Amino acid sequence: MQNLQSLSQLLADWQAFADKIMPLIERLGLERLGECDHAALRVNSVAAAEKLKAEFAQCGEIISENIINGRPILIIRLQQPLLLGQWQIPCVELPFPGDKHYPEEGWEHLELVLPRGAQSCDELAEQLRTLCPRTQATLDGDTDIKLKASSPKGEAERLANPTLAFKAGGVCVKVHPHSIQAIIASEQ
């Protein structure tokens, strides 16, 4: 998908995204994690983001509109969750564009929750090694899967939410210790 036109197009593209991301999840053994808290989009124009914001407001509730890394990021809780394997995904992350241009607009990543209270990326990695041993080689830098560690944070967030992102084949799976809805609740 080159130019994102509508929410209906996004929903039509969901299965193709699922078919691309499930092999990565399975290769890493991440299907053992019990919760996929949200799916994230990428758009290249403010107009596309505004259009999607309006369309999502018709089938969900915007539960957060926060500035992270200098740009608005919306979290929408859907009336009907997205389905992927064992997971019902309750939320969508809609970041407004920054200064990076994406080769494709649309579904970009999923975020999974490992709720063991990790306070740092190193601690999260150790928890993943134990629960999902197939992540070991990637965590050690011994596979073609790209690994990025980060600790993104909104202005009012009170929970540490270190994140490990695994990227391959044009898709990304992120793992963090708290769900997006718990992070939003911490801002209140």
Side-chain angles (χ1 to χ4, degrees), residues 21-149:
I21 204 159
M22 281 308 295
L24 177 60
I25 289 169
E26 291 164 355
R27 181 175 170 195
L28 292 165
L30 297 176
E31 69 275 7
R32 299 189 67 185
L33 301 181
E35 182 182 0
C36 180
D37 69 332
H38 69 281
L41 301 169
R42 292 294 178 251
V43 297
N44 287 322
S45 74
V46 171
E50 289 288 358
K51 181 175 187 205
L52 286 172
K53 177 182 177 180
E55 290 180 340
F56 272 118
Q58 299 301 308
C59 64
E61 175 190 1
I62 297 170
I63 59 173
S64 176
E65 191 166 346
N66 210 340
I67 302 296
I68 299 176
N69 296 328
R71 63 188 175 139
I73 308 247
L74 279 61
I75 304 297
I76 301 108
R77 184 175 35 231
L78 303 170
Q79 293 168 358
Q80 295 291 320
L82 296 167
L83 303 177
L84 179 72
Q86 69 196 22
W87 295 305
Q88 292 188 14
I89 306 168
C91 294
V92 170
E93 174 185 327
L94 172 59
F96 274 60
D99 50 7
K100 182 177 179 183
H101 183 82
Y102 296 96
E104 287 190 37
E105 295 182 294
W107 301 111
E108 195 263 346
H109 72 262
L110 293 178
E111 299 204 18
L112 308 177
V113 181
L114 177 55
R116 295 194 174 174
Q119 296 293 305
S120 69
C121 291
D122 288 341
E123 192 176 344
L124 182 61
E126 286 309 308
Q127 292 172 356
L128 266 178
R129 288 178 208 275
T130 301
L131 186 63
C132 305
R134 283 186 264 161
T135 62
Q136 177 77 40
T138 300
L139 291 167
D140 291 343
D142 295 333
T143 69
D144 61 330
I145 298 171
K146 292 180 184 173
L147 174 65
K148 180 181 175 186

Side-chain angles (χ1 to χ4, degrees), residues 159-170:
L159 291 175
N161 208 26
T163 301
L164 295 175
F166 300 90
K167 191 170 190 174

